[in-house]
Amino acid sequence: MSAYAVAHLKNGSRHEDVLSYMERIQETMDPFGGRFLVHGTTVEVREGTWPGHLVMIEFPDLERARAWYDSPAYQELVPLRTRHIDADIVLAAGVPEGYEAAHTAAAARREAEAAA
């Protein structure tokens, strides 16, 4: 099941370190099957606020997403970004093929009723 690294980048600058980070990040993702789905896009906000940009990277599974983030190659790059850009970064597993939110709601309803 696919997994995703999602970054909300805030207060960023196009510092030389950031440009170097951008030039080198793909080589850190390749061994783990990572590919950009969204990169630095300004989002269209429909609810709430979202100051900054969005980055989404897809990996074949959560284990490879974790392995990429924790890899020495990527960790070497992290300071190039963190010195100049504030960010929130999360890793999340995707949903399986055929997933339906109604099934999750039904299970949550059963749990709530059992707890009552």
Side-chain angles (χ1 to χ4, degrees):
M1 173 174 17
S2 293
Y4 305 91
V6 180
H8 179 192
L9 307 177
K10 304 168 272 190
N11 307 323
S13 69
R14 295 289 178 160
H15 188 276
E16 178 59 33
D17 286 350
V18 174
L19 297 174
S20 180
Y21 173 93
M22 291 171 63
E23 291 166 347
R24 297 170 54 197
I25 190 172
Q26 186 67 50
E27 67 193 34
T28 72
M29 295 165 29
D30 287 344
F32 303 97
R35 71 181 188 97
F36 282 103
L37 297 178
V38 178
H39 189 213
T41 302
T42 300
V43 298
E44 182 177 320
V45 178
R46 294 298 181 109
E47 295 182 31
T49 61
W50 189 280
H53 300 277
L54 174 67
V55 175
M56 293 181 67
I57 304 169
E58 181 181 43
F59 291 90
D61 52 50
L62 192 53
E63 291 75 25
R64 282 183 263 195
R66 288 180 185 130
W68 162 74
Y69 187 86
D70 294 336
S71 71
Y74 182 64
Q75 287 301 307
E76 180 182 318
L77 295 184
V78 169
L80 298 176
R81 174 180 48 78
T82 59
R83 284 194 294 256
H84 308 284
I85 298 175
D86 294 329
D88 297 315
I89 299 182
V90 298
L91 302 179
V95 297
E97 185 74 29
Y99 172 83
E100 292 187 30
H103 295 154
T104 301
R109 186 178 299 281
R110 286 190 300 274
E111 289 175 13
E113 289 169 353

